[in-house]
């Protein structure tokens, strides 16, 4: 079925624009000059969803109902044990509602949203890369010269048209307008799992952007992408691509000094301070938590924010600290159930769940709409090429 209806195209673009707005730094110029624009987009998506797909939303699949039940249960448990819900703002609720709506949609609309996300991002990242190269040559056009990144980071950056540049860092890690380089790296790597379903002009900006982001998680996932295409999808033949492998090896050797400074030394510093995803202070606090019964139900989101742990502490340890091991298991169970929303091979389910576990270890992705969309695009029984 071709995606021709104009009203559906507008609907899917609203989805895409909201996702990219949610990936911006909290103090980005594009957020502050339109402070309620994201909420307006969310409202439009919700209204149009009920107007266009009310029957699908009411009659959703049992897996989605279980996923919603887990969401309600974790909120009730957190409220009972800690006196508040999962967060003190409604952003997590907005993202959950979009995930719920997304999986109620017909497959051709879901994958149209995915393709628009990838294609628009390729165009956007291309512009960011061009501006980034001009920045390296000393040619800049800043919308603002000094903005605090937000979320308690203490990082000050200059804001360009298509990039943000942390001050006192040259060359800065490439991140476009994503919240941080790791967000760009994660999106880039997940998209490359489907690189064979897009022309080179679409996947190359994502690949180059991921490489320039110097995101350790991107490089780890890139190895998995390579193994996935060699041994599972078989879209890469080792025999026919020996020259490419040799070229990549030469590039790594040639750029080893850069990688040593930008990646390995940074990881070594993180390992001394924490475990690459947390600070040493939080790591000590987490050790005390883990050695008590509180690890089962956590200390709460409000205490996490009050102790200024929001910056530099992410992933599974932060989730256990906030919500407890019981809720973390429920979060993972909710995602696992969603794997059965489509009839796919067991191997695909294992791959997708493994990727989600890696994401869950590094970032807060329990209700991150872009993570769900990118991972669930790996359903191989759905032909992405025929959706426009």
């Amino acid at each position: 079925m071709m995606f021709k209806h104009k009203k559906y195209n507008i609907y899917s673009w609203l989805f895409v624009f909201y996702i990219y707005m949610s990936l911006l730094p909290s103090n980005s110029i594009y957020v502050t000059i339109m402070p309620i624009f994201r909420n307006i987009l969310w409202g439009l998506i919700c209204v149009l969803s009920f107007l266009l797909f009310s029957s699908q939303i009411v009659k959703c699949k049992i897996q989605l109902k279980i996923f919603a039940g887990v969401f309600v249960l974790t909120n009730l448990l957190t409220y009972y044990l800690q006196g508040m819900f999962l967060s003190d703002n409604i952003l997590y609720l907005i993202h959950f509602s979009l995930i719920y709506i997304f999986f109620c949609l017909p497959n051709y609309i879901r994958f149209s949203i995915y393709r628009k996300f990838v294609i628009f991002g390729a165009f956007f990242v291309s512009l960011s890369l061009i501006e980034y190269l001009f920045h390296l040559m000393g040619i800049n056009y800043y919308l603002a010269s000094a903005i605090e990144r937000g979320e308690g980071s203490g990082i000050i950056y200059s804001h360009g048209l298509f990039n943000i540049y942390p001050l006192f860092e040259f060359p800065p890690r490439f991140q476009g307008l994503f919240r941080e380089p790791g967000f760009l790296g994660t999106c880039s790597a997940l998209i490359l799992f489907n690189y064979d379903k897009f022309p080179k002009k679409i996947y190359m900006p994502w690949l180059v952007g991921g490489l320039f982001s110097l995101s350790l998680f991107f490089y780890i996932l890139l190895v998995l992408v390579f193994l996935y295409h060699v041994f599972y999808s078989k879209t890469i033949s080792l025999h026919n691509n020996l020259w490419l492998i040799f070229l990549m090896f030469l590039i790594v050797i040639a750029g080893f000094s850069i990688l040593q400074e930008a990646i390995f030394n940074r990881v070594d510093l993180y390992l001394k301070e924490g475990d690459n995803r947390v600070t040493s202070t939080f790591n000590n606090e987490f050790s005390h938590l883990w050695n008590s019964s509180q690890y089962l139900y956590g200390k709460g989101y409000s205490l996490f924010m009050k102790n200024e742990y929001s910056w530099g502490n992410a992933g599974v340890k932060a989730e256990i600290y906030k919500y407890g091991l019981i809720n973390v298991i429920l979060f993972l169970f909710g995602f696992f159930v969603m794997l059965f929303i489509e009839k796919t091979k067991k191997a695909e389910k294992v791959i997708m769940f493994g990727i989600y576990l890696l994401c869950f270890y590094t970032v807060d992705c329990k209700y991150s709409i872009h993570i769900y969309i990118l991972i669930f695009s790996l359903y191989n029984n759905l032909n992405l090429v025929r959706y426009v």
Side-chain angles (χ1 to χ4, degrees):
M1 180 185 297
M2 295 299 291
F3 195 70
K4 294 179 179 179
H5 298 294
K6 189 174 182 179
K7 60 182 178 181
Y8 294 154
N9 268 310
I10 294 174
Y11 175 84
S12 59
W13 275 119
L14 289 176
F15 238 104
V16 170
F17 290 147
Y18 179 84
I19 295 168
Y20 276 104
M21 287 291 292
S22 71
L23 290 172
L24 291 170
S26 57
N27 287 340
S28 167
I29 291 292
Y30 298 118
V31 174
T32 55
I33 63 176
M34 297 179 291
I36 62 171
F37 185 65
R38 284 187 294 190
N39 293 338
I40 293 174
L41 277 177
W42 174 64
L44 286 173
I45 292 170
C46 290
V47 170
L48 286 175
S49 298
F50 280 97
L51 290 176
L52 298 173
F53 310 108
S54 57
S55 60
Q56 290 92 330
I57 292 174
V58 172
K59 299 177 182 178
C60 65
K61 294 183 178 180
I62 184 64
Q63 293 87 352
L64 195 52
K65 292 179 180 177
I66 294 174
F67 179 73
V70 169
F71 176 80
V72 173
L73 178 60
T74 52
N75 271 281
L76 290 178
L77 281 174
T78 305
Y79 187 80
Y80 174 74
L81 295 170
Q82 301 166 2
M84 65 178 300
F85 296 115
L86 294 181
S87 176
D88 57 0
N89 59 55
I90 65 169
L91 186 60
Y92 80 105
L93 177 60
I94 291 175
H95 276 233
F96 166 79
S97 65
L98 290 179
I99 293 172
Y100 185 90
I101 289 172
F102 179 80
F103 285 98
C104 288
L105 302 175
N107 285 339
Y108 69 93
I109 297 180
R110 283 167 45 193
F111 282 90
S112 176
I113 292 172
Y114 168 72
R115 284 184 63 81
K116 285 180 172 61
F117 178 87
V118 175
I119 293 170
F120 176 78
F123 173 73
F124 169 73
V125 171
S126 296
L127 293 176
S128 300
L129 284 167
I130 293 171
E131 184 186 274
Y132 179 77
L133 293 176
F134 276 108
H135 174 75
L136 296 182
M137 294 185 291
I139 304 171
N140 298 297
Y141 180 77
Y142 294 145
L143 296 177
S145 57
I147 297 179
E148 204 276 327
R149 179 193 178 277
E151 301 174 26
S153 68
I155 295 176
I156 307 298
Y157 62 81
S158 297
H159 197 304
L161 289 172
F162 306 108
N163 279 285
I164 61 174
Y165 310 98
L167 300 184
F168 314 114
E169 181 182 321
F170 192 86
R173 295 170 62 192
F174 175 71
Q175 65 184 87
L177 287 173
F178 286 75
R179 192 169 304 167
E180 59 177 90
F183 276 63
L184 171 61
T186 299
C187 290
S188 298
L190 292 178
I191 286 168
L192 290 175
F193 277 97
N194 277 324
Y195 91 95
D196 55 310
K197 297 180 174 66
F198 296 98
K200 185 179 292 187
K201 64 182 179 181
I202 298 300
Y203 72 78
M204 281 302 295
W206 286 108
L207 174 59
V208 176
L211 291 171
F212 280 16
S213 74
L214 300 180
S215 165
L216 177 63
F217 192 51
F218 170 81
Y219 289 99
I220 292 173
L221 280 180
L222 192 61
V223 174
L224 297 182
V225 167
F226 178 76
L227 296 176
Y228 174 84
H229 286 292
V230 170
F231 297 106
Y232 183 73
S233 69
K234 294 182 171 52
T235 54
I236 295 178
S237 169
L238 290 178
H239 176 73
N240 296 329
N241 291 280
L242 287 176
W243 66 271
L244 179 60
I245 297 170
F246 181 69
L247 179 61
M248 290 178 63
F249 177 76
L250 289 179
I251 292 173
V252 170
I253 295 298
F256 184 79
S257 60
I258 298 175
L259 292 174
Q260 179 71 28
E261 179 66 27
I263 298 292
F264 303 136
N265 288 350
R266 179 160 53 90
V267 172
D268 183 58
L269 177 63
Y270 282 147
L271 290 175
K272 290 178 181 178
E273 293 185 351
D275 70 346
N276 189 32
R277 299 310 303 165
V278 299
T279 61
S280 57
T281 303
F282 177 79
N283 208 37
N284 291 332
E285 176 71 11
F286 181 82
S287 297
H288 292 307
L289 172 76
W290 192 253
N291 291 324
S292 69
S293 60
Q294 277 190 300
Y295 78 93
L296 289 172
Y297 49 87
K299 289 192 173 183
Y301 177 86
S302 59
L303 188 61
F304 182 81
M305 299 299 292
K306 182 179 179 181
N307 290 334
E308 298 182 346
Y309 290 145
S310 60
W311 175 253
N313 301 292
V316 67
K317 284 188 176 181
E319 298 296 278
I320 292 175
Y321 180 90
K322 290 183 284 187
Y323 310 117
L325 183 62
I326 295 174
N327 270 340
V328 166
I329 292 173
L330 286 172
F331 295 146
L332 296 176
F333 174 73
F335 181 88
F336 179 77
V337 170
M338 291 287 283
L339 293 173
F340 296 85
I341 205 165
E342 299 286 349
K343 293 181 179 179
T344 58
K345 298 177 182 178
K346 291 182 180 179
E348 286 183 19
K349 292 182 175 65
V350 171
I351 291 170
M352 292 163 68
F353 191 61
I355 294 172
Y356 183 75
L357 288 178
L358 285 174
C359 293
F360 198 92
Y361 172 76
T362 60
V363 297
D364 177 6
C365 66
K366 58 184 179 296
Y367 298 121
S368 296
I369 177 67
H370 67 286
I371 295 293
Y372 277 75
I373 290 176
L374 293 175
I375 291 180
F376 278 89
S377 69
L378 296 182
Y379 282 138
N380 279 324
N381 66 322
L382 296 172
N383 185 4
L384 298 184
V385 177
R386 62 195 175 103
Y387 301 122
V388 297

